[in-house]
Structures are given as C-alpha cells and as structure tokens.
Amino acid sequence: MVVTRFAPSPTGYLHIGGLRTALYNYLWARKNHGKFLLRIEDTDLKRNSKEAAKAIEEAFNWTGLSYDGDPIYQSQRFDIYKEYIQKLLDENKAYYCYMTKEELDELRKEQMARKERPRYDGRYRDFKGEPPKGVEPVVRIKVPQGETIEFEDGIKGKVSVKVDDVMDDFIIARSDGTPTYNFVVAIDDALMGITDVIRGDDHLSNTPKQIVVYKALGFDIPKFYHVPMILNPQGKKLSKRDGAMDVMEYKRMGYLPEALLNFLVRLGWSYGDQEIFSMEEMLRLFDPHDINKSASAYNAEKLLWLNAHYIKNAPYERLIKELEFFGVHIDDHDKKEILIDSLKERSKTLKEMAEAALKILKEPASYDEKAVKKFLKEENIEILKKFKEALKERENLHLPVDYEEFVKEFLDKNELKLKNLAQPLRIALVGDTVSPSIYDVLSIVGKEGIIKRIEKLLNHLQEEN
Ligand code: GLU
C-alpha cells in the first residue's frame, strides 16, 4: 500500500508551494488507493500548532483535498522520540557528547584556519572516561564513516553522497533532551508507515541524514521524490508579491479551487501538452516519476486563464453559491440564470464576476460624469424619456429576446439607431457604459427597475442643471 504524508511546519497558514506538495502526495496516495496522512511539524512552535492546523484544515476543506485520520502533532510525540534515542544509546549507535560551546567554537576556528570544512571531530565517539562535570551532554548519532549513501530519487535519479563529505556525527538530541529535526522526521515517517515521501528539493540535503537514522534503527527506507521549487518569472525564489501567499488569499481573490489545483499540478508536472485537468484526470494520469527535473515558473496569466475556463464551465448552482462569499445573493432572483450566463463568459475571477453582478443588481449610486457628458445630450435625454413611456405601456417583457424585440420596435417607430439609445440607457441602468449585453441587463433589471433607474438618472440630470 502507498502511504504518503504532508508534513508542514506551522507558519500560520498553508502557502501555495505547500499546497502543491500536498496535492502531489494526495494524488499519489488516492490513485493507489493508499493513505494520505497529515503531520504537523511543530516541535519548535508549540504555541501556534493548533491555529496552524486549523488554518491548514480550512485550506484543505476549501480545496477539497482530504487526509486520512487525525493530524499527527510532533509536539505530542516527545516520549516516542526519547525512547528511540535511548534505544540508539543502548545499542551503542549513539553517544553522549560533552563538548562545550566554547570547545566547539575553538574547534571550528582551527578548522577554518586550516581551510577545512567545519565539522565535529568525533572526540566523544568512543569516549570511555569520566564525563566532565557540569556539562549537559547532547546525543550524537554514530554516522558510519567512509560509507557512501545512495538512493534512487523518483525525480532526480540516483543520488550518491559520501557521508564524510556531507555530515559529521550529527546531534539527535539537544542538551535539554529535545530531539532534532532530521531525527524526528525519520522516526515519524517510519512509524507512520510512509512508503513515498514527496517533498521540496530544499530537503534533498536532509535525506542522507534521515537515511542514517533509518539504517541505525533498522527501519525500511521509503522512496523519495524531491520536487524542484516554484520560481517567479524572473527565475528567482517565489515571493509573496509573486503569489507565494496564503492559499485562502486565492479564495478571497476569487479563484475556484479546481483552477488552483489544476494550475499547481502543472507547475512541475506535465502530461503531453495538456493544460486542463479535472481531479478525475489528475488521479488517473499523475505519477510523481513524471515530475519535471527543473524548476517551474509561476505564471499569473495562466492561473487567470484557467480560472476563467473553470468559471465558464461551472454549473449555475455552483457559481450562485460561490458568489455568496462575495456578497452576491441571487438564489431567489428570477433572472439568476440569465445573470450568471451573461457574466461567466467575461469573468476571470469570482470577485470580478461578483462586482459585475452587483453593478447590475443595485441601482447605480453615482454616474460616470464623463460618459454623462458625452452620451446624454438634450436629444438623448428626450429619447430616454420616450423609451420610458413606451416601456410603461408594454406588457409581457421577460427574457432578453423580449427586450430585444421591444427595443427594435421602439427604434423603428422613432426612426432611431441603437447607438442613440444604448449608451444613455446603459448609464441609466449601471451608471456607466460598461456592461454585458444591454438586453440581458434589461431583462435582469426588469420593467419596474428600468423605469426607476431611468427616472433616477433624469432626476440626477435635472439637479445638475
Ligand atoms: N516540515 C517540512 C517543511 O515544511 C517538510 C518536511 C518533509 O516533508 O520532510 O518544509
């Protein structure tokens, strides 16, 4: 069985790079009918862990990704880590080191002077004497000297490092007894039965150390997949300004979660040149072995394009529900489908769509004065007045086609062109000259609403003069 995990360090929220890692682990586990587990790496940040887990849970709920069982908190597992530290001490695979900070600094200075890489010199590795008084020791693991550690990374291929080049007998427990990062990660992954570790390649240098721990304890070593980072379009580390922000910020900006997941799956993985992937397709096609070897660049335009695609193809009910988050409540509106239809083709985000909807649903609070000057000359005002009177006389206007027919009749009868009416009418309806099809807007606003809005504009113009 494939068991994967997402192991965020609680920074208070889930960011986009984290979500991509989570998605890859999720897809791989679900595709193989395995398990996807969540582990909160909160050994340093005990106080924030609950909030962070909540924030992550909230983001997961929004994206629709789900994990199995309850989250595991490292901060609650110190007893387990202690037990394994003791086991290594008992088996003589780890030892107490009594070196003081001053001695360590001294050693480092000497090594630097000799132009050597600073490293612990192993002076307590086989120490048998009387420990110095007053020093709380750290625990160091015995790294097998002279060995080469090799593993087959599912993305990078064969990774091979000489332990002497990259590590010394590293600390697994600090002098206050708390365990260190690489130690707890290895213990947890082993005890949680993780078979596949998919994570950012910023962790690649940790993996050999974790393998040392696995080997010392006789644990099975999982498969590793180290995913290249997401870069900004300039090839630099992705910053907040580029889009490296809280996943929930994407919700607030009006992105659909499926668009974001689709965007993220492609940021580092591809299947031919296909761009659009439903969750069902991702599950069918994703394989971590196909993750790109080189870093991928965040492309905000593409995310917008994908979002527009998903908005265009979303069912009415879904969009109506999503728009509520942005203050648009149209569940009871008799023209809600016309409204959604006319906006979804032209909206890149839900936020944009909501703003456009509110512009139609609410009477204009003010008017674009430039447009008023340009399009509401004396003759246009007369046309608007006439239009209003004609409208009052007319029954059975409901759909956009009804209004289209009515407008055409009105124009013919008065020997006018659409351009004499359209912009003035738009200004009356929405306050400026930007709106979807005028017939859609007329239908949504409805006869009573149109009359009211024309009167409101006429009053406004009168006050102006
Ligand atoms: N907690 C680590 C991070 O947030 C991930 C550790 C791992 O995946 O092994 O970067």
Side-chain angles (χ1 to χ4, degrees):
M1 181 159 75
V2 169
V3 184
T4 66
R5 55 34 167 211
F6 175 49
S9 303
T11 51
Y13 59 78
L14 177 63
H15 67 88
I16 190 122
L19 180 59
R20 184 184 66 157
T21 305
L23 174 64
Y24 288 172
N25 281 288
Y26 171 91
L27 291 174
W28 192 227
R30 294 279 175 264
K31 176 187 178 131
N32 290 289
H33 308 289
K35 280 206 165 98
F36 172 59
L37 308 177
L38 177 63
R39 178 172 80 230
I40 309 288
E41 307 213 313
D42 58 347
T43 50
D44 290 337
L45 289 154
K46 277 171 224 161
R47 274 166 301 132
N48 297 332
S49 64
K50 281 275 177 292
E51 284 147 55
K54 252 216 184 107
I56 288 162
E57 208 168 309
E58 190 193 7
F60 268 40
N61 283 341
W62 177 63
T63 60
L65 302 185
S66 59
Y67 49 86
D68 295 300
D70 291 328
I72 284 173
Y73 294 86
Q74 287 189 326
S75 60
Q76 292 170 8
R77 292 164 67 82
F78 282 102
D79 288 347
I80 298 172
Y81 307 136
K82 265 206 182 107
E83 199 183 300
Y84 282 96
I85 289 163
Q86 193 55 50
K87 185 169 152 63
L88 289 177
L89 285 168
D90 292 346
E91 293 175 1
N92 200 22
K93 292 175 177 164
Y95 58 93
Y96 289 112
C97 170
Y98 296 89
M99 212 168 165
T100 61
K101 189 176 173 307
E102 290 71 31
E103 288 171 319
L104 207 53
D105 286 347
E106 185 63 25
L107 175 66
R108 190 162 292 153
K109 238 191 258 158
E110 286 167 21
Q111 289 169 332
M112 304 269 268
R114 292 198 298 268
K115 299 222 167 7
E116 287 171 16
R117 189 170 57 84
R119 65 202 312 268
Y120 173 66
D121 61 2
R123 66 179 69 172
Y124 282 97
R125 190 175 165 113
D126 297 307
F127 180 71
K128 296 272 180 333
E130 189 68 24
K133 292 254 156 1
V135 183
E136 283 298 332
V138 299
V139 179
R140 291 183 181 271
I141 192 164
K142 280 190 178 170
V143 171
Q145 291 165 334
E147 257 188 32
T148 298
I149 290 189
E150 278 185 354
F151 63 95
E152 190 63 33
D153 188 284
I155 300 166
K156 311 248 174 215
K158 190 162 157 177
V159 178
S160 170
V161 292
K162 291 203 175 91
V163 286
D164 296 348
D165 291 347
V166 296
M167 64 184 102
D168 49 19
D169 284 353
F170 59 90
I171 296 173
I172 56 173
R174 301 180 188 92
S175 53
D176 64 2
T178 56
T180 54
Y181 177 73
N182 282 312
F183 184 70
V184 299
V185 168
I187 302 287
D188 285 341
D189 281 341
L191 297 183
M192 288 163 73
I194 304 300
T195 60
D196 295 67
V197 172
I198 306 173
R199 63 183 169 201
D201 67 2
D202 49 337
H203 286 284
L204 187 59
S205 61
N206 288 325
T207 304
K209 289 185 176 175
Q210 292 171 15
I211 289 177
V212 167
V213 178
Y214 279 104
K215 284 188 166 166
L217 288 165
F219 289 141
D220 286 342
I221 299 169
K223 292 190 197 91
F224 293 101
Y225 306 83
H226 288 96
V227 185
M229 300 280 100
I230 303 172
L231 301 177
N232 73 9
Q234 289 75 43
K236 299 258 162 52
K237 193 169 180 274
L238 198 68
S239 73
K240 267 207 176 120
R241 202 155 25 104
D242 302 313
M245 48 200 159
D246 183 354
V247 164
M248 296 311 278
E249 194 57 41
Y250 284 86
K251 176 181 181 178
R252 292 189 278 275
M253 290 190 296
Y255 288 94
L256 283 169
E258 53 269 47
L260 187 59
L261 292 179
N262 190 153
F263 175 67
L264 289 176
V265 83
R266 280 287 289 107
L267 258 185
W269 171 82
S270 53
Y271 183 78
D273 49 15
Q274 186 171 337
E275 289 291 356
I276 311 267
F277 294 91
S278 64
M279 181 45 82
E280 187 268 318
E281 278 178 305
M282 286 187 215
L283 284 167
R284 189 152 42 81
L285 301 171
F286 178 77
D287 186 320
H289 297 93
D290 299 332
I291 291 173
N292 303 342
K293 285 188 169 47
S294 51
S296 34
Y298 185 96
N299 179 341
E301 280 303 312
K302 188 151 147 195
L303 176 56
L304 270 178
W305 174 78
L306 280 167
N307 204 45
H309 166 85
Y310 281 98
I311 287 176
K312 210 182 297 176
N313 290 286
Y316 295 116
E317 306 76 44
R318 171 79 193 285
L319 291 172
I320 288 169
K321 219 167 157 287
E322 295 287 348
L323 287 174
E324 289 187 352
F325 181 78
F326 298 95
V328 176
H329 303 276
I330 49 171
D331 220 6
D332 298 331
H333 197 289
D334 64 340
K335 300 292 188 320
K336 60 187 174 193
E337 291 178 1
I338 294 170
L339 179 63
I340 295 286
D341 249 352
S342 75
L343 295 181
K344 71 179 187 179
E345 296 288 332
R346 40 169 43 224
S347 304
K348 288 202 171 77
T349 67
L350 292 167
K351 194 169 169 217
E352 203 181 286
M353 190 171 181
E355 280 159 9
L358 289 174
K359 195 170 149 187
I360 298 171
L361 293 168
K362 289 187 181 168
E363 266 182 17
S366 62
Y367 299 97
D368 173 354
E369 289 307 327
K370 252 201 196 142
V372 167
K373 249 203 196 100
K374 185 163 175 205
F375 295 108
L376 285 159
K377 308 256 160 62
E378 201 53 52
E379 63 197 74
N380 306 105
I381 295 172
E382 286 315 307
I383 294 169
L384 265 188
K385 281 182 184 162
K386 251 194 197 150
F387 181 78
K388 187 186 75 171
E389 293 313 315
L391 186 61
K392 278 184 179 166
E393 302 301 312
R394 182 66 175 251
E395 296 299 327
N396 289 326
L397 290 168
H398 302 289
L399 298 176
V401 284
D402 302 333
Y403 280 95
E404 188 168 357
E405 198 185 297
F406 168 66
V407 166
K408 285 209 171 110
E409 274 172 30
F410 172 81
L411 295 175
D412 281 351
K413 205 164 140 203
N414 294 283
E415 294 183 2
L416 294 165
K417 291 261 175 324
L418 183 60
K419 70 170 201 273
N420 304 119
L421 175 70
Q423 297 302 47
L425 193 51
R426 272 207 172 89
I427 296 170
L429 293 170
V430 300
D432 60 30
T433 53
V434 186
S435 84
S437 145
I438 189 84
Y439 307 120
D440 287 354
V441 179
L442 288 167
S443 163
I444 295 159
V445 174
K447 182 171 156 179
E448 298 309 314
I450 304 165
I451 293 170
K452 258 179 80 188
R453 290 187 194 192
I454 294 176
E455 281 169 354
K456 186 172 169 177
L457 173 64
L458 294 174
N459 283 340
H460 168 82
L461 295 172
Q462 222 156 32
E463 280 164 22
E464 293 275 284
N465 293 326

